[in-house]
């Protein structure tokens, strides 16, 4: 109910509703767009950080920026960058958020081997910049801070499944940078009594997933092959295992983590794991092109359409360039703490539902590029 105040002439009138204010870094990314939708639906004023680019760089937010979107007037984008401390101070000073979701990062593991220093700056030191900007603007006792930590921290895993107590063993410049961010958050919680927490999120996907992460690369290729726009999909390690959930479900957890009395770190995962190979099989089958594998596992293995119009066509090949200098072979999270303490349901979207949603969306987008705006 809106509160009611007296106007100077004595008549009662509705006072403006005190809305909570949130700031999202990485709002232009997959998770940022879902989180912005969630917070707007909950009544927040949402400020998002966008980077300067030479071309249009926020297609995932197109629908929210449309004035016809129900809460469009409560959504604001600001230019800033995690490696520009002054820009972070300015945005905090101007927006005074009560909740900050730090999702911004160079988030691609393989790319981090080519851009190690930049990845360290954006995904590691960027976290420290944000924490220091909070202190510099005097918000450290009022703001709640969420850090997008990652299951990549477990790397060469020391236990199966992985939970909040499992030791870390990062395997890429990305994971090393995220390790710095993880400990920065813990350190600022202990040193300054800040409400700052890490969400250790396992892989989460959606039709909005970046196109060079393996799931989206697969579903996009499946659609293009189905429509005769692509011949073959080239992949790397088919036997890597991941615990894949839906990004829409995972942003709910981010919010829940900031609604607690005390800040704690949580593993967010489905509790199930499967291979890249299995994901590809499910995706091709969904599009009516079931595949069988031929040849020995390794560089010469192929995926061939087993039945239907394209029967006999080779649609998957292995290319060494997609192998990583150090691989994370298996990730499987134990979401018990999130289930118990946050009341979160790790099984809301099954892997099969996720695959189907992604393939169906990519089939629609391959046929009509304007369909992108729906996803
Ligand atoms: P994403 O789609 O790659 O989005 C990354 C976001 O970070 C984009 O908005 C990007 O902006 C922004 N960004 C990159 N460098 C930046 C910088 N220097 N300053 C400010 N912003 C910057 O990633 P996502 O999948 O949504 O993931 C969100 C966060 O969760 C990331 O921190 C990621 O590392 C982490 N995470 C993801 C997963 C997962 O499976 N998706 C799992 C665990 C953790 P541009 O659009 O301008 O590039
Ligand atoms: O989809 P991916 O690139 O995701 P990866 O490396 O697991 O990282 C993602 O999840 C992390 C959470 O665990 C996040 F922190 C991170 O930001 C990112 O969102 O690769 C998944 C697996 C890997 O084992 C990779 O070697 O798929 C394997 N793979 C096989 N062929 C491939 C390919 N990966 C990509 N990107 N492209 C391939 O052709």
């Amino acid at each position: 109910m809106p509160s009611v105040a007296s106007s100077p002439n004595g008549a009662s009138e509705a006072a403006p509703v005190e809305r909570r204010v949130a700031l999202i870094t990485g709002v232009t990314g997959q998770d940022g767009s879902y989180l912005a939708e969630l917070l707007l639906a909950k009544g927040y004023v949402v400020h998002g950080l966008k980077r300067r680019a030479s071309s249009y760089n926020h297609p995932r937010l197109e629908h929210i920026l449309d004035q016809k979107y129900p809460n469009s007037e409560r959504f604001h984008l600001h230019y800033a960058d995690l490696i520009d401390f002054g820009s972070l101070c300015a945005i905090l000073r101007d927006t005074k958020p009560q909740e900050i979701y730090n999702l911004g990062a160079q988030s691609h593991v393989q790319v981090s081997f080519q851009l190690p220093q930049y990845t360290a700056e954006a995904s590691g030191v960027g976290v420290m910049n944000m924490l220091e900007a909070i202190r510099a603007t005097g918000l450290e006792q009022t703001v709640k801070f969420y850090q997008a930590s990652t299951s990549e921290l477990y790397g060469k895993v020391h236990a199966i499944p992985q939970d909040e107590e499992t030791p870390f063993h990062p395997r890429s410049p990305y994971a090393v940078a995220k390790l710095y961010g993880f400990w920065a958050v813990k350190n600022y919680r202990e040193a300054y009594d800040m409400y700052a927490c890490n969400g250790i999120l396992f892989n989460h996907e959606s039709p909005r997933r970046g196109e060079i992460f393996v799931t989206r690369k697969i579903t996009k290729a499946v659609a293009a092959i189905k429509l005769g726009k692509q011949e073959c999909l080239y992949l790397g390690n088919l036997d890597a295992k991941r615990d894949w959930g839906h990004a829409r479900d995972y942003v709910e957890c981010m919010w829940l983590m900031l609604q607690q009395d005390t800040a704690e770190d949580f593993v967010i995962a489905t509790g199930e794991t499967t291979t890249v190979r299995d994901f590809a099989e499910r995706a091709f089958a969904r599009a009516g092109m079931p595949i069988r594998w031929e040849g020995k596992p390794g560089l010469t293995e192929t995926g061939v359409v087993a039945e239907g119009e394209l029967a006999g066509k080779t649609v998957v090949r292995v290319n060494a360039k997609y192998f990583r200098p150090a691989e994370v072979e298996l990730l499987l999270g134990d979401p018990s703490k999130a289930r118990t303490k946050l009341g979160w349901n790790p099984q809301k979207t099954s892997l099969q539902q996720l695959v189907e949603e992604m393939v169906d969306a990519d089939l629609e987008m391959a046929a009509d590029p304007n369909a992108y705006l729906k996803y």
Side-chain angles (χ1 to χ4, degrees):
M1 287 278 287
S3 56
V4 176
S6 266
S7 70
N9 64 12
S12 290
E13 62 183 31
V17 179
E18 277 286 318
R19 295 197 178 276
R20 290 191 71 73
V21 178
L23 171 68
I24 306 175
T25 74
V27 74
T28 57
Q30 171 189 251
D31 292 5
S33 63
Y34 283 113
L35 182 63
E37 286 172 2
L38 179 79
L39 297 179
L40 287 169
K42 288 185 183 296
Y44 282 68
V45 173
V46 179
H47 296 278
L49 182 161
K50 73 173 166 180
R51 297 194 292 165
R52 196 271 158 183
S54 65
S55 52
Y56 187 68
N57 67 346
H58 40 82
R60 294 182 179 99
L61 302 173
E62 190 65 34
H63 60 297
I64 301 179
L65 291 165
D66 186 331
Q67 285 181 359
K68 291 200 282 295
Y69 190 81
N71 309 303
S72 178
E73 77 288 353
R74 281 193 266 116
F75 184 65
H76 310 280
L77 286 175
H78 309 258
Y79 282 111
D81 198 298
L82 284 166
I83 63 175
D84 183 335
F85 178 70
S87 74
L88 300 179
C89 291
I91 200 172
L92 291 184
R93 186 195 59 220
D94 294 346
T95 64
K96 296 199 173 35
Q98 286 118 358
E99 295 176 16
I100 298 175
Y101 298 85
N102 188 37
L103 311 185
Q106 190 303 92
S107 73
H108 200 280
V109 173
Q110 190 165 22
V111 171
S112 77
F113 286 98
Q114 270 109 60
L115 296 175
Q117 187 182 340
Y118 175 72
T119 303
E121 294 284 349
S123 312
V125 178
V127 184
M128 186 63 90
N129 283 343
M130 189 50 103
L131 291 166
E132 273 300 300
I134 290 169
R135 289 192 345 111
T137 49
L139 296 175
E140 70 270 31
Q141 292 312 314
T142 53
V143 87
K144 290 183 166 185
F145 182 82
Y146 172 89
Q147 168 58 16
S149 286
T150 167
S151 51
E152 281 292 306
L153 295 172
Y154 298 118
K156 193 168 182 181
V157 298
H158 290 211
I160 303 170
Q162 298 87 48
D163 64 19
E164 290 80 2
E165 306 306 322
T166 306
F168 297 140
H169 187 145
R171 295 272 280 172
S172 62
Y174 166 78
V176 170
K178 284 282 186 178
L179 187 69
Y180 178 83
F182 177 91
W183 281 107
V185 167
K186 259 191 176 321
N187 178 235
Y188 274 48
R189 187 161 76 210
E190 292 169 5
Y192 303 115
D193 198 25
M194 281 173 64
Y195 192 115
C197 55
N198 289 290
I200 307 170
L201 270 60
F202 284 61
N203 299 52
H204 45 280
E205 319 293 312
S206 75
R208 297 183 195 170
R209 184 59 144 151
E211 295 172 3
I212 60 168
F213 295 95
V214 78
T215 56
R216 185 76 200 292
K217 181 174 167 182
I218 292 170
T219 60
K220 201 164 173 270
V222 162
I225 291 169
K226 175 80 178 175
L227 298 185
K229 296 181 174 181
Q230 185 174 331
E231 283 300 310
C232 188
L233 163 66
Y234 293 87
L235 291 173
N237 181 3
L238 295 173
D239 294 313
K241 288 181 142 184
R242 289 293 181 275
D243 179 332
W244 277 301
H246 198 303
R248 200 191 301 115
D249 302 341
Y250 283 37
V251 300
E252 282 178 25
C253 243
M254 297 176 188
W255 178 76
L256 284 169
M257 285 177 63
L258 294 198
Q259 312 313 310
Q260 307 305 303
D261 291 334
T262 43
E264 286 182 62
D265 303 331
F266 287 87
V267 160
I268 308 300
T270 70
E272 286 178 12
T273 190
T274 194
T275 56
V276 171
R277 179 189 298 280
D278 177 49
F279 191 100
E281 285 171 19
R282 290 173 190 249
F284 277 100
R286 175 65 179 178
M289 303 180 290
I291 52 171
R292 62 168 186 270
W293 300 99
E294 292 187 354
K296 282 202 206 121
L299 287 175
T300 55
E301 192 176 12
T302 55
V304 178
V305 179
E307 59 190 59
E309 227 176 282
L310 297 181
K313 183 178 171 63
T314 299
V315 287
V316 184
R317 291 186 192 277
V318 177
N319 188 323
K321 82 173 182 187
Y322 298 114
F323 285 88
R324 295 167 183 190
E327 175 65 292
V328 174
E329 297 289 350
L330 181 156
L331 291 174
L332 171 62
D334 175 356
S336 304
K337 182 179 173 188
R339 191 195 279 117
T340 313
K341 283 203 165 177
L342 302 176
W344 181 69
N345 174 11
Q347 300 287 338
K348 194 165 170 187
T349 309
S350 70
L351 175 65
Q352 185 58 28
Q353 286 169 325
L354 173 68
V355 173
E356 291 178 7
E357 186 182 328
M358 290 179 71
V359 171
D360 294 354
D362 271 318
L363 280 167
E364 203 178 334
M365 287 187 261
D368 171 15
N370 288 329
Y372 187 86
L373 302 180
K374 279 172 54 184
Y375 297 97

